[in-house]
Amino acid sequence: KRTMPSVSMSGMQQAETESNNISDKTAVALITIDNYEEVKDGMEDIKHPLLVAVVDRKLKALALQVEGILRKFEKDRYLFLLAQDKVELLKSKKFDILNQIRELDMGNKIPVTLSIGIGINGNSLAQQMEYARAAIDLALGRGGDQALIKDKDEYLFYGGKSKEVGTNTRVRTRVKANALSELIDESTNVIVMGHKKPDLDCLGSAIGVYKIATSQGKPCNIILNEISMSIETLYARLIEQREYKEEVFISTKEALRYISEKTLLIIVDTHRPSLLESKEVVERATRTVVFDHHRRSAEGINNPVLVYHEPAASSTSELITEMIQSLGRIKLGNLEADALLAGITVDTKNFAFKTGTKTFEASAFLRRCGADTIRVKTLFQLNMEMYKVKALTVGNAEIFNNNIAISVCPENTKNAALVAAQASDELLNISGIVASYVLCTENSNVLISARSLGDVNVQRIMEKMGGGGHQSVAGVQFVDKDIHEVMEMLKDVLKAEVE
């Protein structure tokens, strides 16, 4: 008689055991109320306990639904444990708990929002907790009101519909400013670097950091490999002054010669290595500082000694201006004040987007330092040829889903990226349009400039295509793709989002 080999039976049992182990794994989640203090400040004191009780009840109902365990360990923070296979249930419902909490109306002037960070597929419970911490940090860095799942090296994003909520406190600014001042004192020299194709916010914030460093007697240089159209006028005005003629602006090659163990590298207006002027400079530097206002992506600078990342800020120029105010001893000239005000102006679209009370306070400070709004306005002027191309791009726009404008810049357009950005801004002036997307070709690359009035999160759309940005201002770039192919990709993503 033949019998089934015992090896086969044990193999089947092992496979079944592994399957059970996967389903029995515990996922770790951290939940944070993003704006607890801000919501409380706008409510009557008597209603505070009621709001907290309602939030607690809804979260406990969520835990009961997935047979999980919820424990509150701070007034606005929770630990949530659940079986890993139950995460699929939350994903299938698109984490509707975010909408439930946001829609609460207990007399609060601003909506309550949650951030959720979940760690799955770790090798141990401790690693799941590390994944959850990384996910919640990234969710908060992206403005909150969203759920992130970290599955080893991969992130999954849900939500992110609300605008960032800024605070009026200056404590954090003062702490960061003092820390920066100490780091500069400990350094032999400072190098400032922004992103590729720098704009006015990038250059303006770099100039602000330059003034902070030189006021402390440290030599400072700004890496500038390319003079883009958007900074051409400001750059020309800067190098007319003696202070900026003397090798302030350097190339990557020169920067690599200046770097030593005591060099402080300060990165402004980006936190993504892929967008930097030079990855080699970051790899060579031993001490790095990051100042940025863009919503955080999964990509980031490794081991910075100081990070000031504030998605609620209008611009990096606003953050740097606040630090200059806090330090108090720095004297800005008219041109430096113009540069910082131009950075704020360009990223707020003339104070229409992402503009909070601190934005106006920073602008008022710069005005007292000698900034002139007329001089700043001349930094944004287009020549007649570019203006005609922009008007043609706006005129050729097609309407998608009755409220989205899509257009394409004409072929062989000079400074196409700048024209596309301004055309997408202009399309939002059309009645009924809530979002705009303008495509262009520049140096064989296809770019999309996306804008919205805030109701549509264009950052989510651009992230699905490999880009990023803010809720109301975002973009993406494709290498070696046809513009018609990119247009079809965009429409497919928009259709899926509408559905």
Side-chain angles (χ1 to χ4, degrees):
K1 292 182 181 180
R2 292 194 174 188
T3 58
M4 183 179 290
S6 58
V7 177
S8 299
M9 182 61 74
S10 62
M12 291 171 63
Q13 290 173 341
Q14 183 178 355
E16 186 178 351
T17 302
E18 287 177 357
S19 176
N20 290 336
N21 286 341
I22 291 171
S23 63
D24 290 342
K25 270 190 176 180
T26 301
V28 178
L30 294 171
I31 303 175
T32 299
I33 302 175
D34 301 324
N35 49 358
Y36 181 83
E37 295 297 338
E38 290 75 20
V39 171
K40 279 180 58 180
D41 289 344
M43 292 179 64
E44 297 176 27
D45 291 347
I46 197 171
K47 292 184 177 179
H48 292 172
L50 182 60
L51 178 67
V52 172
V54 172
V55 172
D56 286 350
R57 189 170 72 241
K58 285 191 174 292
L59 289 176
K60 285 177 182 176
L62 175 70
L64 188 63
Q65 183 184 4
V66 295
E67 301 175 352
I69 299 172
L70 181 77
R71 288 293 179 268
K72 189 173 186 176
F73 62 93
E74 282 187 35
K75 64 182 183 295
D76 56 353
R77 295 187 180 187
Y78 304 80
L79 175 65
F80 183 26
L81 302 178
L82 67 160
Q84 188 163 294
D85 58 343
K86 296 294 184 181
V87 175
E88 294 300 321
L89 178 61
L90 299 178
K91 289 164 65 175
S92 67
K93 295 188 176 183
K94 304 291 184 186
F95 287 87
D96 58 351
I97 184 66
L98 299 174
N99 296 329
Q100 294 175 32
I101 298 297
R102 194 187 315 108
E103 291 165 3
L104 289 178
D105 186 1
M106 313 295 296
N108 43 304
K109 294 180 180 177
I110 59 176
V112 186
T113 62
L114 291 182
S115 288
I116 303 173
I118 302 177
I120 62 174
N121 288 327
N123 296 325
S124 64
L125 202 58
Q127 191 169 54
Q128 303 277 60
M129 187 65 174
E130 287 179 18
Y131 287 174
R133 283 193 184 123
I136 195 71
D137 287 345
L138 184 52
L140 293 170
R142 290 162 57 85
D145 185 33
Q146 54 196 284
L148 265 71
I149 300 173
K150 181 170 171 59
D151 183 354
K152 296 183 179 177
D153 294 330
E154 182 184 357
Y155 285 93
L156 299 174
F157 301 86
Y158 296 86
K161 295 181 179 179
S162 295
K163 296 179 181 178
E164 301 90 346
V165 178
T167 62
N168 291 325
T169 177
R170 296 190 178 277
V171 175
R172 191 174 182 218
T173 302
R174 187 178 70 250
V175 170
K176 299 293 185 181
N178 291 336
L180 175 64
S181 182
E182 290 177 11
L183 286 169
I184 291 174
D185 279 339
E186 296 166 1
S187 306
T188 54
N189 66 311
V190 177
I191 293 177
V192 187
M193 178 168 63
H195 53 75
K196 298 171 186 174
K197 297 187 180 298
D199 56 12
L200 286 168
D201 184 33
C202 182
L203 181 55
S205 54
I207 293 297
V209 172
Y210 170 83
K211 293 302 291 185
I212 294 173
T214 53
S215 71
Q216 294 183 219
K218 300 294 181 179
C220 181
N221 298 96
I222 300 171
I223 298 176
L224 201 59
N225 293 319
E226 177 186 2
I227 312 301
S228 62
M229 178 69 181
S230 57
I231 65 168
E232 207 171 54
T233 305
L234 176 59
Y235 177 78
R237 291 181 189 177
L238 286 167
I239 60 173
E240 285 175 2
Q241 293 199 3
R242 180 183 298 177
E243 181 179 359
Y244 295 97
K245 270 184 179 178
E246 299 172 358
E247 298 182 356
V248 170
F249 299 104
I250 58 174
S251 65
T252 295
K253 188 176 180 180
E254 292 171 306
L256 291 171
R257 293 205 306 265
Y258 293 168
I259 292 177
S260 67
E261 289 186 1
K262 286 284 190 177
T263 298
L264 183 65
L265 174 65
I266 301 179
I267 294 170
V268 295
D269 204 33
T270 187
H271 62 278
R272 299 175 61 179
S274 60
L275 300 181
L276 291 172
E277 286 273 21
S278 169
K279 290 183 184 178
E280 194 177 353
V281 170
V282 180
E283 292 166 359
R284 185 81 64 87
T286 57
R287 300 192 307 159
T288 305
V289 173
V290 179
F291 296 129
D292 192 21
H293 73 111
H294 296 95
R295 282 192 170 194
R296 191 172 296 175
S297 68
E299 183 185 8
I301 307 295
N302 290 329
N303 303 319
V305 294
L306 176 66
V307 176
Y308 190 7
H309 196 146
E310 188 55 72
S314 70
S315 56
T316 310
S317 293
E318 179 186 315
L319 297 179
I320 301 301
T321 300
E322 287 178 352
M323 286 197 288
I324 289 172
Q325 280 181 279
S326 181
L327 292 170
R329 60 180 178 270
I330 299 154
K331 292 184 179 180
L332 293 176
N334 292 350
L335 188 55
E336 290 86 11
D338 282 352
L340 286 162
L341 184 58
I344 295 173
T345 304
V346 72
D347 272 20
T348 57
K349 310 301 174 191
N350 292 311
F351 297 89
F353 295 97
K354 287 179 64 68
T355 307
T357 55
K358 292 167 79 173
T359 310
F360 287 111
E361 288 169 5
S363 302
F365 168 76
L366 294 172
R367 187 74 179 89
R368 291 194 296 273
C369 291
D372 182 82
T373 52
I374 300 300
R375 286 199 305 265
V376 169
K377 185 175 177 61
T378 61
L379 298 174
F380 300 95
Q381 289 180 322
L382 296 175
N383 58 41
M384 181 58 75
E385 181 185 352
M386 289 181 66
Y387 191 87
K388 287 180 178 178
V389 173
K390 183 183 82 170
L392 183 62
T393 304
V394 172
N396 290 337
E398 62 174 290
I399 306 302
F400 177 87
N401 197 46
N402 298 320
N403 60 0
I404 297 172
I406 304 176
S407 189
V408 179
C409 285
E411 289 185 21
N412 303 319
T413 298
K414 292 182 180 179
N415 301 301
L418 180 60
V419 173
Q422 296 206 3
S424 56
D425 289 333
E426 195 71 30
L427 284 166
L428 293 180
N429 293 327
I430 299 172
S431 176
I433 297 300
V434 297
S436 62
Y437 301 87
V438 178
L439 289 73
C440 69
T441 304
E442 189 172 75
N443 299 327
S444 300
N445 299 332
V446 178
L447 294 82
I448 302 179
S449 185
R451 301 288 186 270
S452 84
L453 295 175
D455 293 333
V456 176
N457 189 340
V458 291
Q459 180 205 14
R460 288 173 58 189
I461 306 296
M462 293 296 95
E463 278 188 336
K464 289 180 178 179
M465 300 183 71
H470 287 288
Q471 181 163 345
S472 55
V473 180
V476 66
Q477 177 175 315
F478 296 93
V479 180
D480 298 329
K481 276 192 181 295
D482 180 73
I483 196 165
H484 301 292
E485 181 184 355
V486 174
M487 174 67 85
E488 291 305 313
M489 287 173 59
L490 173 63
K491 288 182 177 179
D492 288 342
V493 171
L494 290 175
K495 285 176 186 174
E497 189 71 14
V498 168
E499 290 169 2

